[in-house]
Amino acid sequence: MANVNDMMDKLVSLAKRRGFVFQSSEIYGGTGSVWDYGPLGVELKRNVRDAWWRSMVHMRDDIEGLDAAILMHPRVWEASGHIAGFTDPLVECKNCHRRFRGDNADIQGGQCPVCGTREAFGEPRMFNLMFKTFMGPVEDTSAVVYLRPETAQGIYVNFQNVVTSSRQRVPFGIAQVGKAFRNEITPGNFIFRTREFEQMEMQFFVEPGSDDEWMEYWKAARRQWHEEVMGIRPEKLRFHEHGADELAHYAKRAFDVEYEFPFGWQEFEGIHNRTDFDLKRHQEYSGKKLEYVDPTDTNKRYIPYIIETSAGLDRTLLVVLMDAYREEEVEGEQRVVLRFHPRLAPLKVAIFPLVKKDGLPETARRIHDTFKAAGINSFYDDSGSIGRRYRRQDEAGTPFCITVDGQTAEDGTVTMRDRDTLQQVRISADAVVAYIQERVR
Ligand code: GAP
């Protein structure tokens, strides 16, 4: 266990030191399990989100994007089954009053893991994980609304709108990225389980009977994306199929994509066959037809089955951070480096003038500006030794560093240092933008 905490402590501390993730409202002592993304974190998160959007929406003709509101009609959550069933068993220690999930392995013997009291717990009560608030100025039951616990429902209720406006034909998908909220009983492990998080969800509508085949298709596609686009080590990824006792109320079959975190194999994406459960329920509760009518054969009408891919954006970011983290020895010195895929790195390149004189800062600034003009996130740094500047960029995960030195004025070349191989090559200052552009795609 010491190693697990050690690794997590190191990551949390690096994340804070370098401006990836800060505790929310830290100056007030912090808010439980809510986190803020700092200057590098917000870039990393955007890069993960953009890569997902590009693969899911821009690169495909059969998936449309959507951005539905967080607040929805309360009937949505009755239809979806969340009001009745989105619950976890909650128990409370009769001595210290700490609360736990009733299915938590640590409390199975009946002993409180915090104060040690034996036979500490009574019968669990079911606790609904949805956050509630009120719409409008009157706080009564007719004004109750929920913060959505998944983004998926915003897609289902817009199914007909998207079909009509985009003229897509089944099979096709709708993708969305957005905030979701769950009042988790036991959040934890940094940004792994939080109460406010973002999901990247895609709902793929298929003809009943073709659902098993599409499930296999999406399993393969998502695994390939994690390996090739996110650059996650394949040996750290696996699938876990849900047994009958794990399946959500809407699912016929479900697979978790798991990553081997320091605290064990854990899910960060779910691929679910939700059948026609959601659309059928919304049809029933709203009274509106949610059938799909095949335009080539209007006698063919059915409620499509749905294959869902549902990834947590924050959890994927934790996977990316974990997988990139390395401690290495370089020329007799320890370095901590984040080996992000260049496509995901918050800063793509750092520019250093070797010394603060002889016109080197001006040349370095000019190169920095050409990167900005090309839309490549670049960082200018002229403070401290070159070794220290490299170490700072290694911890930020910057894949390339450029040094402008005396030779630059003579032959127009700079040194380009590769974060992973540590190789340094001299290349023309005029060629650096193209060099980086090619490698960060
Ligand atoms: N629409 C289906 C759905 O929401 P889920 O398995 O409950 O399925 C999907 O959630 C993903 O959302 C998870 O794999 C995880 O990455 C992320 N997620 C769920 N609860 C979370 C939490 N409390 N904190 C951070 N991420 C969470």
Side-chain angles (χ1 to χ4, degrees):
M1 259 341 234
N3 279 345
V4 173
N5 293 335
D6 203 31
M7 179 60 208
M8 289 307 285
D9 287 350
K10 283 180 183 172
L11 196 80
V12 174
S13 135
L14 170 71
K16 179 172 179 190
R17 188 166 72 243
R18 285 288 161 233
F20 283 95
V21 183
F22 306 130
Q23 198 181 10
S24 163
S25 319
E26 191 184 336
I27 60 169
Y28 287 98
T31 313
S33 297
V34 188
W35 301 87
D36 298 338
Y37 291 89
L40 293 188
V42 70
E43 295 294 333
L44 181 61
K45 199 173 179 194
R46 278 175 66 127
N47 293 343
V48 173
R49 188 194 289 117
D50 289 352
W52 185 87
W53 194 260
R54 184 173 145 76
S55 308
M56 281 294 189
V57 183
H58 290 173
M59 298 289 287
R60 301 184 63 114
D61 291 329
D62 60 352
I63 300 185
E64 302 288 339
L66 182 78
D67 184 10
I70 289 170
L71 301 177
M72 302 181 74
H73 195 289
R75 289 275 284 167
V76 166
W77 307 110
E78 286 174 40
S80 69
H82 283 82
I83 289 182
F86 195 56
T87 50
D88 275 339
L90 173 76
V91 292
E92 184 173 322
C93 170
K94 63 187 180 199
N95 178 44
C96 71
H97 301 290
R98 295 291 275 266
R99 289 172 173 180
F100 304 90
R101 272 178 65 150
D103 52 3
N104 182 334
D106 293 344
I107 63 156
Q108 290 316 313
Q111 185 170 7
C112 175
V114 174
C115 69
T117 302
R118 290 177 192 282
E119 293 175 24
F121 309 110
E123 276 301 299
R125 70 180 170 89
M126 294 317 274
F127 172 74
N128 195 296
L129 301 185
M130 282 197 293
F131 278 95
K132 260 189 212 170
T133 186
F134 299 96
M135 182 88 100
V138 183
E139 296 194 3
D140 65 18
T141 48
S142 65
V144 166
V145 288
Y146 300 91
L147 302 189
R148 65 183 178 197
E150 62 169 6
T151 63
Q153 300 300 327
I155 294 181
Y156 305 144
V157 299
N158 278 297
F159 169 69
Q160 287 297 19
N161 285 336
V162 175
V163 172
T164 312
S165 58
S166 69
R167 296 167 56 232
Q168 283 282 359
R169 292 181 183 185
V170 168
F172 80 99
I174 305 177
Q176 159 159 252
V177 182
K179 290 269 186 181
F181 302 83
R182 295 183 189 178
N183 201 1
E184 299 280 1
I185 298 170
T186 45
N189 281 325
F190 192 31
I191 53 172
F192 179 81
R193 180 170 288 109
T194 54
R195 294 188 169 116
E196 172 178 345
F197 55 96
E198 245 174 286
Q199 289 185 316
M200 307 185 287
E201 295 200 306
M202 193 282 302
Q203 314 295 323
F204 205 75
F205 301 88
V206 305
E207 192 174 341
S210 66
D211 47 314
D212 290 338
E213 215 175 299
W214 278 109
M215 181 84 175
E216 289 310 311
Y217 170 87
W218 281 110
K219 265 178 70 189
R222 295 307 299 147
R223 172 114 199 196
Q224 188 181 5
W225 187 80
H226 291 301
E227 289 178 17
E228 290 176 13
V229 182
M230 293 291 97
I232 308 300
R233 286 169 289 180
E235 66 273 20
K236 292 279 192 179
L237 293 170
R238 74 176 189 194
F239 282 115
H240 161 75
E241 179 164 14
H242 283 205
D245 54 336
E246 294 170 275
L247 282 175
H249 59 278
Y250 51 71
K252 167 179 153 187
R253 224 173 153 206
F255 289 86
D256 293 339
V257 186
E258 293 188 334
Y259 179 77
E260 191 179 20
F261 290 95
F263 45 88
W265 287 95
Q266 294 286 342
E267 164 204 356
F268 68 107
E269 171 155 17
I271 301 166
H272 311 130
N273 182 343
R274 293 181 73 131
T275 69
D276 54 4
F277 175 87
D278 298 275
L279 289 184
K280 247 190 185 156
R281 294 273 291 198
H282 286 304
Q283 177 167 286
E284 182 190 335
Y285 279 68
S286 68
K288 300 284 180 330
K289 277 247 173 291
L290 294 179
E291 275 179 347
Y292 172 75
V293 183
D294 189 331
T296 60
D297 174 3
T298 47
N299 288 324
K300 202 168 164 190
R301 45 183 69 213
Y302 53 86
I303 294 193
Y305 267 40
I306 292 167
I307 307 298
E308 167 183 68
T309 71
S310 172
L313 174 51
D314 312 74
R315 227 180 253 187
T316 304
L317 186 138
L318 183 60
V319 167
V320 166
L321 265 177
M322 282 275 159
D323 207 61
Y325 185 93
R326 305 279 198 293
E327 291 172 3
E328 298 173 349
E329 202 177 296
V330 173
E331 290 151 11
E333 265 186 54
Q334 276 287 115
R335 78 161 179 170
V336 169
V337 57
L338 292 175
R339 287 174 173 252
F340 296 130
H341 189 295
R343 150 182 327 118
L344 300 182
L347 301 168
K348 308 299 184 198
V349 60
I351 324 287
F352 310 148
L354 184 64
V355 288
K356 281 197 235 180
K357 56 181 185 180
D358 304 332
L360 301 190
E362 291 73 16
T363 308
R365 284 247 177 233
R366 266 199 302 279
I367 296 174
H368 177 54
D369 288 342
T370 53
F371 276 114
K372 284 189 167 177
I376 293 173
N377 207 6
S378 151
F379 185 79
Y380 175 87
D381 188 2
D382 61 13
S383 67
S385 71
I386 287 288
R388 287 192 59 179
R389 286 183 249 174
Y390 281 151
R391 290 295 98 87
R392 285 198 288 262
Q393 293 309 316
D394 287 344
E395 284 200 341
T398 311
F400 303 102
C401 291
I402 290 175
T403 305
V404 172
D405 56 21
Q407 204 180 318
T408 310
E410 288 164 25
D411 63 6
T413 63
V414 293
T415 36
M416 174 80 71
R417 181 248 201 193
D418 183 298
R419 176 197 67 200
D420 300 337
T421 63
L422 299 173
Q423 269 181 347
Q424 299 194 20
V425 289
R426 283 208 83 88
I427 73 168
S428 163
D430 294 337
V432 290
V433 170
Y435 183 96
I436 305 276
Q437 244 157 2
E438 207 171 285
R439 287 162 174 80
V440 299
R441 268 206 291 265

